[in-house]
């Protein structure tokens, strides 16, 4: 009981204190991905792995579309699985990143508020509390009865975060790219030798430590 209230008091002091720079790991840590189709991943976790005194204001996702575009009527969303500082039960939130369309070799960007508040310790989420970020593509993208389902290439992804004490400064969480693509989004899930599927997920290296 003493340790619990001591931890809450220390966290409160860190929230109210003047923000300080908190570095991630000394070197980027390779991370695992989960998806259908072949793996062309080159993924690095760049954010904190251990708990620290930074708390999430928002997650920012930037995706580079490769040589196959996103047509109209195709949506791209993110599903974030995380644990709060004082509640280690996994929680999931989902938000639309874009509703398209986006041409070949273009970037799109989305912001996902995470809800940490300095006046509510139970709301606090640290970067190390992120377990998984999953990107998924929905809708057919068909513009007429003769069109096929929309396929598109994600060549790279950059995920950053902002702290509640300094929401204007973005810090890296993870980054990845691949050749001929990082992931190819398709309506249906291919086997491990196929092109891809409708979902792609990056797993925090901290998950394996729990």
């Amino acid at each position: 009981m003493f340790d619990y209230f001591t931890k809450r008091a220390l966290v409160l002091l860190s929230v109210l204190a003047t923000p300080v720079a908190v570095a991630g790991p000394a070197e980027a840590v390779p991370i695992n991905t989960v998806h259908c189709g072949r793996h062309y991943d080159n993924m690095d976790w760049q954010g904190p792995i251990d708990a620290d005194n930074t708390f999430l204001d928002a997650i920012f996702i930037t995706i580079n579309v490769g040589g196959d575009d996103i047509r109209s009527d195709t949506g791209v969303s993110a599903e974030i699985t995380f644990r709060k500082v004082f509640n280690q039960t996994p929680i999931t939130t989902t938000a639309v990143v874009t509703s398209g369309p986006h041409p070949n070799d273009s970037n799109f960007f989305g912001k996902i508020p995470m809800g940490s508040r300095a006046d509510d310790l139970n709301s606090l989420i640290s970067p190390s509390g992120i377990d998984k970020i999953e990107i998924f593509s929905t809708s057919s993208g068909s513009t007429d009865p003769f069109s096929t389902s929309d396929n598109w290439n994600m060549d790279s992804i950059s995920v950053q975060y902002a702290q509640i004490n300094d929401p204007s400064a973005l810090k890296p969480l993870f980054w990845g790219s691949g050749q001929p693509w990082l992931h190819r989004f398709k309506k249906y899930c291919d086997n491990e030798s196929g092109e891809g599927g409708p979902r792609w997920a990056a797993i925090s290296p901290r998950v394996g430590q729990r």
Side-chain angles (χ1 to χ4, degrees), residues 76-164:
V76 179
S77 298
E79 182 178 280
I80 302 176
T81 302
F82 61 93
R83 301 165 193 255
K84 295 183 178 182
V85 173
F86 293 106
N87 180 359
Q88 291 299 295
T89 301
I91 301 169
T92 298
T93 185
T94 303
V96 174
V97 181
T98 186
S99 56
H102 294 279
N104 295 354
D105 303 314
S106 64
N107 296 318
F108 63 87
F109 169 88
K111 175 183 177 181
I112 303 173
M114 294 303 294
S116 293
R117 300 202 324 267
D119 62 348
D120 181 4
L121 292 184
N122 292 323
S123 73
L124 296 177
I125 308 160
S126 75
S128 63
I130 299 294
D131 283 353
K132 178 177 71 171
I133 295 184
E134 186 164 5
I135 307 297
F136 61 95
S137 186
T138 57
S139 182
S140 66
S142 299
T143 55
D144 61 67
F146 303 101
S147 296
T148 59
S149 303
D150 191 16
N151 303 326
W152 64 278
N153 297 347
M154 177 173 71
D155 276 14
S156 66
I157 183 171
S158 173
V159 178
Q160 299 170 292
Y161 65 94
Q163 305 167 198
I164 59 174

Side-chain angles (χ1 to χ4, degrees), residues 33-55:
T33 60
V34 178
H35 57 81
C36 301
R38 295 181 181 177
H39 283 257
Y40 300 108
D41 309 310
N42 177 19
M43 300 292 303
D44 286 326
W45 186 272
Q46 300 165 308
I49 295 176
D50 299 318
D52 56 29
N53 67 338
T54 61
F55 306 105

Side-chain angles (χ1 to χ4, degrees), residues 14-20 53-55 57 118 162-168:
S14 71
V15 172
L16 298 177
T18 302
V20 295
N53 67 338
T54 61
F55 306 105
D57 175 68
Q163 305 167 198
I164 59 174
N165 284 343
D166 191 9
S168 63

